[in-house]
């Protein structure tokens, strides 16, 4: 079977062409599943409108979901660094989080009468989705290496956002015609899961270099083309035997860095991973983790609040408008991810990242102005203007979603701890979004939506200023061009290596 676009990509001859085609299809269908937030946002509108939940009850569910992600994301990264069954793990997680979405739609009762059960489901869903960002990006880096991450992460993010847009449009149209009984819209979730699992399981073990996936080396040593048993690229079933990259299975250990004596490396072999404690000592990682937390504390609840201002009291048109909030933002994120892929490798990460950070404050100020105007003049035009602010959400979240992966890859290069480091930064984002969810809903219910946007807008200035003055440019010269030769010392956590040159050889 030949898939659309596969012949074109094969003709270009990129490294691991077959796997990158499959990866883009995985990213497309993974849009809804990637971090769980799309369906969480849709569920919040569903619970408020169809099940008469209060804002605080929805905030509690956000809080539990985010806390669960926070608790499990660093361990999830640790698991993905070690496992050689990355595609299987990601498939199981996708199925599990889809079941949680369906159970929420089926079992939620009026006025939150079974809130305890919903809390448990959100806790499980948060734990499962913690494995998705680290899993997808670990597979990506294993296929293209860290030197190919700028281009491939950009493509992944574009497809993620495009897939989310299609899913949300479909769900919103269903909800519009089925209002007020809109639970049926969640049928899109198992459809997306089916596509994700289908294409994930077409990625062969030979496609993934697990040393490159961990960040121990900058280039993947998989062959340029691996014939697939499914004939993905050429529609044939011609199978050629290929050898898997030499990435021996490594059993996880509990050497976290508290004085254990590391074994010596054999000269000429691939360097072994830093201990988790050494990774955590890097000041650049600490600063960036704080920035991730603060950004999501400010930005995490803005989209749900905008959706609620459009959904509450506006019937089926309000539900449609709230769904369009996600669609407008996601389509703009596609463009933002493309720009990040085209220019962050040429001009560095910092300039683009600052654009994504500072635009949140501007967005909140404009939303606040439109809400004040709506109090004076009720019009569909005002509703449309509020919806249009999602363009800025697309810019901010689109830039952040792409760049934080690239910056994490830069920081963790050479450590053998890419997935764990990504788990740490993702955990900071989760706890920030969790705090934001409860803070935003509390402000909206007790003080009004205008006060909520004002406070969140002020908070968003903190991570932007911190990144401006405290974060260095993380893009190393040797990763600016994907055609440059591999170097295991490229993008190493310099602050650790300067302290102890031998620490690079330690193993967990």
């Amino acid at each position: 079977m030949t898939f659309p676009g596969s012949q074109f990509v094969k003709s270009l001859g990129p490294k691991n062409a077959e796997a990158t085609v499959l990866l883009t299809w995985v990213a497309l269908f993974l849009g809804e599943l990637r971090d769980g937030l799309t369906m969480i946002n849709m569920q919040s509108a569903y619970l408020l409108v169809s099940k008469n939940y209060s804002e605080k009850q929805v905030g509690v569910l956000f809080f539990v979901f985010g806390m669960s992600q926070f608790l499990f994301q660093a361990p999830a990264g640790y698991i993905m660094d070690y496992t050689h069954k990355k595609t299987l793990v990601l498939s199981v997680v996708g199925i599990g989080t889809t079941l949680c979405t369906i159970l929420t739609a089926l079992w939620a009762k009026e006025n939150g009468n079974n809130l305890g059960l919903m809390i448990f489901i959100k806790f499980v869903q948060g734990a499962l989705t913690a494995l998705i960002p680290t899993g997808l990006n670990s597979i990506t880096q294993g296929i293209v290496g860290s030197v190919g991450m700028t281009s491939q992460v950009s493509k992944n993010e574009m497809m993620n956002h495009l897939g989310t847009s299609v899913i949300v449009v479909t769900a919103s149209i269903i909800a519009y015609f089925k209002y007020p009984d809109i639970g049926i819209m969640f049928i899109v979730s198992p459809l997306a899961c089916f596509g994700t699992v289908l294409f994930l399981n077409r990625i062969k073990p030979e496609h993934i270099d697990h040393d490159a996936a961990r960040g121990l080396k900058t280039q993947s040593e998989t062959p340029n083309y691996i014939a697939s048993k499914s004939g993905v690229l050429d529609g044939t079933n011609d199978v050629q035997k290929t050898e898997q990259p030499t990435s021996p299975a490594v059993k996880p250990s509990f050497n976290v860095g508290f004085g254990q004596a590391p074994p010596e490396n054999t000269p000429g072999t691939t360097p072994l991973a830093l201990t988790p404690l050494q990774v955590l000592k890097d000041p650049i990682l600490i600063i960036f983790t704080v920035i991730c937390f603060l950004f999501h504390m400010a930005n995490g609840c803005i989209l749900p609040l905008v959706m609620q201002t459009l959904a509450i009291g506006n019937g089926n048109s309000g539900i449609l408008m709230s769904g369009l909030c996600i669609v407008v933002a996601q389509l703009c994120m596609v463009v933002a991810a493309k720009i990040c892929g085209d220019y962050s490798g040429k001009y560095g990460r910092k300039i683009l990242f600052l654009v994504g950070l500072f635009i949140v404050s501007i967005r909140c100020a404009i939303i606040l102005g439109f809400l004040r105007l709506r109090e004076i003049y009720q019009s569909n035009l005002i509703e449309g203007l509020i919806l249009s602010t999602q363009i800025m959400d697309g810019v901010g979240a689109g830039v952040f979603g792409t760049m934080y992966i690239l910056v994490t890859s830069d920081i963790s290069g050479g450590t053998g701890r890419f997935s764990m480091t990504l788990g740490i930064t993702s955990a900071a984002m989760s706890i920030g979004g969790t705090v934001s969810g409860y803070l935003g809903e509390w402000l909206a219910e007790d003080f009004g939506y205008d006060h909520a946007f004002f406070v969140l807008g002020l908070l968003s200035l903190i991570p932007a200023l911190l990144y401006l003055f405290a974060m260095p440019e993380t893009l190393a010269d040797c990763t600016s061009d994907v055609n440059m030769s591999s170097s295991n010392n490229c993008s190493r956590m310099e602050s650790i290596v300067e302290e102890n040159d031998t620490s690079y050889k330690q193993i967990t």
Side-chain angles (χ1 to χ4, degrees), residues 1-14 17-22 24-25 225 230-237:
M1 179 179 180
T2 302
F3 295 99
S6 59
Q7 291 292 340
F8 173 70
V9 174
K10 183 181 176 182
S11 69
L12 296 178
E18 179 189 13
T20 55
V21 170
L22 292 168
T24 54
W25 281 94
Y225 174 67
S230 58
V232 171
L233 284 179
D234 52 19
T236 70
N237 291 318

Side-chain angles (χ1 to χ4, degrees), residues 153-171:
V153 167
S154 172
K155 292 175 185 176
N156 287 356
E157 290 297 304
M158 289 171 63
M159 297 300 282
N160 274 152
H161 299 312
L162 182 61
T164 300
S165 299
V166 173
I167 290 165
V168 174
V169 166
T170 304

Side-chain angles (χ1 to χ4, degrees), residues 208-229:
I208 302 171
D209 183 330
H210 295 282
D211 284 340
R214 297 184 67 183
L216 278 174
K217 52 190 179 186
T218 59
Q219 289 187 332
S220 174
E221 294 182 359
T222 52
N224 285 342
Y225 174 67
I226 301 171
S228 171
K229 60 186 177 183

Side-chain angles (χ1 to χ4, degrees), residues 3 63 69 95 105 126 207 248 266 269 362 401 408 425 443 445 505:
F3 295 99
F63 179 81
Q69 281 192 325
I95 294 170
H207 286 133
T266 303
T269 62
I362 299 172
T408 302
T425 55
L443 288 170
E445 185 170 344
K505 296 181 179 181

Side-chain angles (χ1 to χ4, degrees), residues 408-466:
T408 302
S409 180
D410 294 342
I411 293 171
S412 63
T415 66
R417 292 294 182 189
F418 167 65
S419 294
M420 194 194 83
T421 307
L422 187 64
I424 291 169
T425 55
S426 298
M429 292 163 55
S430 295
I431 192 64
T434 299
V435 174
S436 179
Y438 193 78
L439 175 65
E441 297 291 353
W442 170 67
L443 288 170
E445 185 170 344
D446 289 0
F447 300 99
Y449 284 87
D450 52 349
H451 285 81
F453 287 117
F454 178 76
V455 172
L456 295 173
L458 286 179
L459 288 175
S460 68
L461 287 173
I462 300 173
L465 293 172
L466 186 59

Side-chain angles (χ1 to χ4, degrees), residues 177-405:
F177 287 106
K178 298 295 291 184
Y179 182 87
D181 186 19
I182 62 175
I184 189 63
M185 70 178 176
F186 294 110
I187 190 66
V188 298
S189 191
L191 296 177
C193 180
F194 175 78
T196 300
V197 173
L198 173 67
F199 288 103
L200 263 177
N201 285 278
R202 291 181 184 273
I203 296 176
K204 298 177 67 178
E206 294 89 344
H207 286 133
I208 302 171
D209 183 330
H210 295 282
D211 284 340
R214 297 184 67 183
L216 278 174
K217 52 190 179 186
T218 59
Q219 289 187 332
S220 174
E221 294 182 359
T222 52
N224 285 342
Y225 174 67
I226 301 171
S228 171
K229 60 186 177 183
S230 58
V232 171
L233 284 179
D234 52 19
T236 70
N237 291 318
D238 184 24
V239 180
Q240 298 174 7
K241 284 286 269 189
T242 55
E243 300 215 355
Q244 193 168 352
T246 56
S247 301
V250 180
K251 293 182 179 180
S253 76
F254 298 96
N255 180 2
V256 296
F258 292 106
Q260 296 98 325
E264 291 292 330
N265 273 327
T266 303
T269 62
T270 301
L272 299 174
L274 294 177
T275 64
L277 185 61
Q278 288 173 316
V279 173
L280 293 172
K281 285 180 178 179
D282 181 36
I284 297 175
L285 175 61
I286 294 171
I287 293 170
F288 186 60
T289 301
V290 171
I291 289 169
C292 289
F293 166 76
L294 293 173
F295 174 82
H296 277 266
M297 184 176 71
N299 186 63
C301 201
I302 296 176
L303 172 60
L305 291 179
V306 172
M307 291 175 64
Q308 288 163 208
T309 62
L310 295 173
I312 295 175
N314 289 322
N316 58 351
S317 63
I319 287 293
L320 186 61
M321 289 284 281
S322 66
L324 287 175
C325 283
I326 299 176
V327 175
V328 170
Q330 293 292 329
L331 291 177
C332 292
M333 288 176 197
V334 173
V335 179
K338 178 69 165 63
I339 292 171
C340 289
D342 289 345
Y343 296 104
S344 67
K346 297 178 182 178
Y347 304 111
R349 318 296 196 197
K350 190 165 185 176
I351 295 176
L352 285 169
F353 219 136
L354 287 172
V355 172
L357 292 171
F358 275 107
I359 203 168
V360 179
S361 299
I362 299 172
R363 175 187 171 208
C364 286
I366 294 174
I367 293 173
L368 181 58
F370 287 150
L371 289 178
R372 294 288 172 84
L373 187 60
R374 189 173 69 170
E375 293 175 359
I376 301 171
Y377 179 68
Q378 291 284 341
S379 169
N380 288 334
L381 175 62
I382 304 299
E383 304 293 321
L385 290 173
I386 294 173
L387 176 63
S388 71
T389 62
Q390 288 305 107
I391 294 173
M392 287 180 284
D393 180 33
V395 175
V399 169
F400 192 97
T402 303
M403 298 303 297
Y404 102 91
I405 298 171

